[in-house]
Amino acid sequence: MTDVTIHDPTLRDGQHAVRHRLDAAALRGYAEAADAAGIPVVEVGHGNGLGASSLQVGRAAVSDDEMLSTVREALTRSRMGVFMLPGWGTSADLRKAISHGADVLRIGVHCTETSLAERHLEFLRSEGAQAHCVLMMSHMATPAELAEHAAKTVEYGAQAVGIMDSAGHFLPADVTERIGAIAAAADVPVIFHGHNNLGMAVANSVAAAEGGATIIDGCARGFGAGAGNTQLEVLVPVLERTGYRTGIDLYRLLDAAEFAEWKLMPAPPVTGSLSIVSGLAGVFSGFKHHVLDQAERAGVDPRDVFFELGRRQAVAGQEDLIVDVVAELSTRGKDVAS
């Protein structure tokens, strides 16, 4: 069997689904359950990462400091992971996370803008921290382009690099081709993070492992933006059945998933109509609430908003573009009606 390391961003990516409102008790309870299951890395933070709590993308229920200290105290075996998007977070936020005992620090950048990660990766290595880099919206680049940019992040100091299928756009063959290209170009562990907009997240994660990924992300009950992420308690036994060893206790993993369903979320995510459109359009799943809010106010079909955002190749952090698109579609609709 081949070893695969599971990275669990339930307490970070799942925040998108509840508008970043997880409180300290919820964070502690899930972290304890994940630790008991032997999940190797438990990631915590605002949905958009360190330093991102804001009016633009949503205020978190608790501060970064409280999130980090709460989860660190709850973990006895699992390592603690954090995520940061340059522009939202800074080196000061990374330094703070290190002081709270963060073990794995990920820098996320748009898939063709890896130069934005250089300073932060170099800082992490200078601090002796475990530095990873993930290329977001990876469907917007070819396998060769992803491989080129992944290799650059390794030069900057990344000790693992991989891709996020941020819009849930990929099919398994797409994933295998891209992961294979990155594995051939970067002599470090390769990461895959899937979203479930087209119902393919588990299949895509297995395809990633077959392509050479050795770090796979998954969230309890798929807790995450839009249709959710790869469902962790399904992913682990499927990987085990196909020859990949995770070292996770299945029963305790299922217990952690039960806790997540009852204590973290109003309901498990589903592959709904808008999530399907988001995946087809290739638009970041975290835009869902913003699109719904703006479209409802303007009387615009949110499906049209997603396809227009996809045409414009909108990326995470461009939430302001949603307002512009809704306004233009509203004006266009009024012109047609008149």
Side-chain angles (χ1 to χ4, degrees):
M1 297 185 75
T2 301
D3 288 332
V4 168
T5 299
I6 296 296
H7 190 112
D8 177 0
T10 297
L11 297 179
R12 197 275 304 170
D13 213 337
Q15 293 263 27
H16 286 295
V18 291
R19 299 178 184 260
H20 318 286
R21 304 309 297 170
L22 294 181
D23 61 21
L27 297 172
R28 181 181 300 104
Y30 182 76
E32 289 172 349
D35 188 74
I39 295 172
V41 181
V42 177
E43 185 175 288
V44 62
H46 183 281
N48 292 69
L50 297 172
S53 180
S54 63
L55 290 175
Q56 184 178 3
V57 293
R59 293 282 191 190
V62 295
S63 68
D64 284 354
D65 282 313
E66 187 173 359
M67 284 191 265
L68 293 167
S69 61
T70 298
V71 171
R72 179 69 277 167
E73 290 171 4
L75 300 179
T76 60
R77 293 193 296 164
S78 302
R79 290 175 290 163
M80 185 170 74
V82 296
F83 174 76
M84 194 197 83
L85 294 169
W88 288 117
T90 66
S91 294
D93 293 301
L94 294 173
R95 184 177 289 108
K96 180 194 300 182
I98 293 170
S99 72
H100 279 289
D103 301 292
V104 180
L105 298 99
R106 281 185 175 179
I107 307 299
V109 291
H110 184 67
C111 59
T112 57
E113 297 177 358
T114 45
S115 61
L116 296 176
E118 180 176 6
R119 179 163 55 92
H120 300 297
L121 290 170
E122 289 178 348
F123 168 77
L124 289 173
R125 292 308 305 276
S126 72
E127 294 291 312
Q130 184 73 22
H132 293 185
C133 189
V134 284
L135 311 182
M136 303 172 67
M137 302 298 286
S138 54
H139 66 282
M140 291 185 173
T142 66
E145 289 170 332
L146 291 172
E148 177 186 351
H149 283 281
K152 286 182 180 178
T153 71
V154 176
E155 293 175 7
Y156 301 153
Q159 294 158 291
V161 63
I163 57 175
M164 286 188 171
D165 181 14
S166 309
H169 184 73
F170 286 144
L171 301 177
D174 302 321
V175 175
T176 302
E177 184 178 14
R178 284 159 175 78
I179 291 294
I182 292 170
D187 189 22
V188 295
V190 178
I191 304 162
F192 179 73
H193 173 107
H195 280 243
N196 204 40
N197 296 66
L198 301 179
M200 302 301 296
V202 170
N204 284 343
S205 297
V206 173
E210 292 172 346
T214 56
I215 302 173
I216 308 288
D217 289 7
C219 292
R221 289 291 192 268
F223 193 36
N229 296 346
T230 307
Q231 190 170 345
L232 183 56
E233 68 276 11
V234 177
L235 172 65
V236 166
V238 169
L239 284 173
E240 297 276 354
R241 284 191 62 182
T242 49
Y244 298 95
R245 181 172 43 236
T246 67
I248 293 173
D249 184 304
L250 176 60
Y251 279 16
R252 293 199 170 184
L253 175 62
L254 296 174
D255 291 341
E258 293 287 339
F259 179 94
E261 179 174 352
W262 292 107
K263 300 296 185 180
L264 303 186
M265 60 191 81
V270 297
T271 305
S273 298
L274 201 59
S275 296
I276 294 168
V277 170
S278 172
L280 291 172
V283 175
F284 172 52
S285 300
F287 280 2
K288 178 182 176 181
H289 290 305
H290 302 288
V291 168
L292 283 172
D293 290 345
Q294 296 294 330
E296 183 178 358
R297 291 193 191 103
V300 170
D301 190 328
R303 296 171 295 188
D304 292 339
V305 178
F306 266 111
F307 278 121
E308 181 62 20
L309 289 168
R311 188 184 69 78
R312 299 188 188 193
Q313 295 193 319
V315 300
Q318 290 184 310
E319 283 80 2
D320 290 346
L321 185 58
I322 298 169
V323 178
D324 296 338
V325 167
V326 168
E328 290 181 24
L329 291 175
S330 178
T331 300
R332 190 183 307 167
K334 291 174 182 175
D335 290 342
V336 171
S338 62

